[in-house]
Amino acid sequence: MHGVVFCFFPTALVVLTSLAGYTLAPAPLHMGTLLWATSGTALCSAAANTINQWIEVPYDSQMARTRSRVLVRQLISSHHAALFGLTTASVGTLLLWHMVNPLTATLGLANILLYAVVYTPLKRVSIVNTWVGSLVGAMPPLMGWSACTGTLEPGAMILAAILYAWQFAHFNALSWSLRADYSRAGYRMMAVTDPALCKRVALRYSMAMVPICALAPVFGVTTWWF
């Protein structure tokens, strides 16, 4: 039952984008390392999502999109959810450290902390939360790349930048349709506090993806046909 505490699809996307970072990195593919990196990344993502939901139960209950979550419905106790989150965070980080490399483990732990300790409370304080949340979403390809090569190179930064820019168009559109819910729960989202800015930021980062993607063949991440 604990497996349903975290959001499955966001975790699957995190794993998928970390796989992209691994496979596009300029180093040989080692299936064992890939499997360990995938498992550790999935555990770190599950931990961050679980801790986020554990913190936000009072606010999730006020939103139509989140009021059916298992913690809101009390299908799992708060104690067990917290234990699951801390366990997956610890196991995921240790697995990445010992079976992959310290850099990937550090990125995984940093992302858990950035999401659960910084982004989650910031959502009720400032619209800066969207920029912080985009950093969280940009981390998985860096983890995949570092798992493969043990380093971070310009190609890894390009993949992260693509995801970083994409998230503004994605989330601003999502939050726009849910702005009444976000307002009711007290979240400080651009769609609620400054709708015009929400539109401009989405457009700005959508346009930024063109030059960012154009850098991919320059640094050998893709061919020029891309």
Side-chain angles (χ1 to χ4, degrees), residues 15-69:
V15 171
L16 183 63
T17 52
S18 69
L19 283 172
Y22 192 104
T23 55
L24 288 170
L29 189 153
H30 297 286
M31 189 56 66
T33 303
L34 177 61
L35 291 175
W36 285 119
T38 300
S39 300
T41 300
L43 287 169
C44 288
S45 177
N49 279 316
T50 301
I51 296 169
N52 168 263
Q53 291 190 33
W54 177 74
I55 294 171
E56 294 189 334
V57 169
Y59 318 118
D60 283 347
S61 63
Q62 301 176 52
M63 297 179 62
R65 185 173 71 95
T66 55
R67 64 170 60 118
S68 62
R69 288 178 173 174

Side-chain angles (χ1 to χ4, degrees), residues 84-178:
F84 177 79
L86 293 174
T87 301
T88 49
S90 301
V91 174
T93 302
L94 289 172
L95 190 154
L96 291 173
W97 185 280
H98 291 288
M99 303 305 296
V100 184
N101 58 56
L103 175 58
T104 306
T106 301
L107 291 172
L109 179 60
N111 220 26
I112 294 171
L113 295 174
L114 190 61
Y115 188 84
V117 179
V118 181
Y119 169 69
T120 296
L122 195 58
K123 287 196 288 184
R124 298 180 58 79
V125 177
S126 169
I127 62 170
V128 173
N129 74 78
T130 305
W131 280 265
V132 175
S134 294
L135 286 174
V136 172
M139 196 77 78
L142 297 181
M143 294 175 65
W145 190 289
S146 68
C148 184
T149 66
T151 62
L152 292 177
E153 299 162 309
M157 300 303 176
I158 290 169
L159 296 178
I162 291 172
L163 267 184
Y164 180 80
W166 169 80
Q167 285 174 98
F168 288 93
H170 163 71
F171 181 73
N172 284 20
L174 172 68
S175 63
W176 185 266
S177 62
L178 298 170

